[in-house]
């Protein structure tokens, strides 16, 4: 009987975690470059201490992972807006270290620094800040990330890959800090930079709302089951103890 309570509690913990990720996804459905968080749950078997040595299935707390589905790419016409083609990321330099982002809404400072919407330097493939000519003409960026300004090459926007299955932390909405060291993508026909485009969030609002309803219903069902189990357990104790 106690095992049923423990299984129910483990399910509630898992559902609460899923509820948190769904709420975060919905809150960022309009955040440029945002990639939704999903949770993978595993079954955990535990042996009971009875004569038949039965196994009880619990639900793990779950492991977060990012959806690799690309968001919709929209043309902006702004020469300093960029979108990543393929499964890769831009990199920016922040107080927390190198951060990966799909939000390519960059701008140029008065001194020619290429920066993110929060003012963090955008990095090239070597991990160095990108410097443009503040008094020059509008830059032209090729699919390989190479920046041309006033007819000459002045730099290159870095595009990076990282194995986020090894762990990551969120940074200011669309940014992520990878546990695995990001590596520059230097030669790939499937990865590139698209100038004048912005990638939207890849959150499917309808799907997330449907999951939100399902999780809430499951949570309520388990809460009811736990309450019923607790009442049965209490009644059993009273009966065994001789109480009326």
């Amino acid at each position: 009987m106690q095992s049923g309570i423990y299984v129910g509690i483990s399910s509630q913990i898992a559902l609460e975690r899923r509820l948190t990720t769904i709420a975060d996804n919905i809150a960022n459905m309009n955040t440029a470059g945002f990639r939704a968080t999903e949770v993978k749950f595993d079954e955990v078997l535990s042996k009971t201490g009875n004569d038949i040595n039965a196994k009880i299935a619990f639900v793990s707390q779950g492991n977060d992972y990012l959806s690799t589905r690309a968001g919709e790419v929209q043309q902006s016409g702004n020469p300093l807006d960029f979108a990543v083609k393929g499964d890769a990321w831009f990199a920016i330099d922040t107080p927390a270290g190198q951060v990966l982002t799909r939000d390519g809404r960059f701008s140029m400072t008065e001194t020619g620094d290429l920066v993110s919407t929060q003012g963090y330097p955008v990095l090239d493939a070597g991990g160095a800040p990108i410097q443009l000519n503040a008094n020059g003409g509008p830059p032209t960026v090729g699919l390989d990330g190479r920046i041309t300004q006033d007819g000459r090459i002045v730099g290159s926007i870095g595009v990076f890959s990282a194995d986020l299955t090894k762990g990551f932390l969120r940074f200011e909405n669309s940014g992520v800090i990878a546990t695995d060291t990001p590596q520059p993508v230097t030669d790939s026909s499937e990865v590139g930079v698209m100038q004048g485009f912005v990638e939207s969030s890849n959150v499917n609002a309808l799907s997330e709302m449907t999951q939100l309803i399902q999780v809430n219903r499951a949570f309520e069902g388990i809460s009811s089951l736990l309450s019923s189990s607790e009442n049965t357990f209490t009644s059993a104790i009273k009966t065994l103890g001789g109480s009326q």
Side-chain angles (χ1 to χ4, degrees):
M1 190 177 299
Q2 287 182 329
S3 297
I5 294 176
Y6 295 147
V7 169
I9 291 175
S10 75
S11 297
Q12 282 192 320
I13 292 174
L15 288 171
E16 183 179 18
R17 182 164 188 174
R18 185 67 187 110
L19 188 63
T20 300
T21 60
I22 291 174
D24 184 56
N25 289 342
I26 292 175
N28 287 283
M29 58 188 294
N30 294 318
T31 300
F34 181 84
R35 284 201 162 178
T37 305
E38 305 290 345
V39 183
K40 178 183 179 182
F41 298 104
D42 296 315
E43 183 182 66
V44 179
L45 296 178
S46 176
K47 293 183 179 180
T48 62
N50 56 30
D51 294 336
I52 62 175
N53 201 27
K55 290 184 178 180
I56 304 298
F58 295 86
V59 180
S60 69
Q61 293 186 13
N63 296 312
D64 293 348
Y65 68 95
L66 288 184
S67 168
T68 58
R69 183 181 65 255
E72 181 181 354
V73 176
Q74 300 176 337
Q75 187 171 11
S76 68
N78 186 338
L80 293 179
D81 281 344
F82 304 96
V84 178
K85 173 193 173 186
D87 189 16
W89 305 76
F90 297 120
I92 55 178
D93 186 24
T94 77
Q98 189 181 90
V99 171
L100 303 176
T101 181
R102 301 273 299 188
D103 184 358
R105 297 173 299 166
F106 303 147
S107 61
M108 183 170 56
T109 66
E110 294 180 354
T111 56
D113 299 310
L114 189 64
V115 297
S116 69
T117 54
Q118 299 299 322
Y120 300 124
V122 180
L123 304 179
D124 62 17
I130 297 173
Q131 182 75 35
L132 304 178
N133 182 1
N135 299 317
T140 300
V141 180
L143 190 61
D144 60 358
R146 190 173 301 176
I147 307 171
T148 302
Q149 192 176 20
D150 298 327
R152 65 186 185 89
I153 298 174
V154 295
S156 180
I157 297 178
V159 180
F160 297 79
S161 64
D163 185 0
L164 297 179
T165 61
K166 295 182 178 179
F168 67 92
L169 295 173
R170 287 283 189 187
F171 181 86
E172 294 185 1
N173 298 327
S174 63
V176 294
I177 301 174
T179 300
D180 182 48
T181 302
Q183 300 296 324
V185 179
T186 56
D187 185 17
S188 175
S189 60
E190 299 179 354
V191 174
V193 178
M194 301 169 61
Q195 185 178 23
F197 292 85
V198 174
E199 181 182 356
S200 302
S201 170
N202 75 345
V203 173
N204 184 321
L206 181 59
S207 174
E208 295 293 332
M209 291 301 296
T210 300
Q211 292 182 56
L212 180 61
I213 294 172
Q214 292 173 341
V215 169
N216 278 324
R217 287 177 176 173
F219 198 91
E220 291 172 358
I222 293 173
S223 295
S224 178
L225 179 62
L226 287 174
S227 179
S228 177
S229 297
E230 185 179 0
N231 291 336
T232 302
F233 189 59
T234 301
S235 297
I237 292 176
K238 289 181 179 180
T239 300
L240 292 173
S243 300
Q244 298 297 326

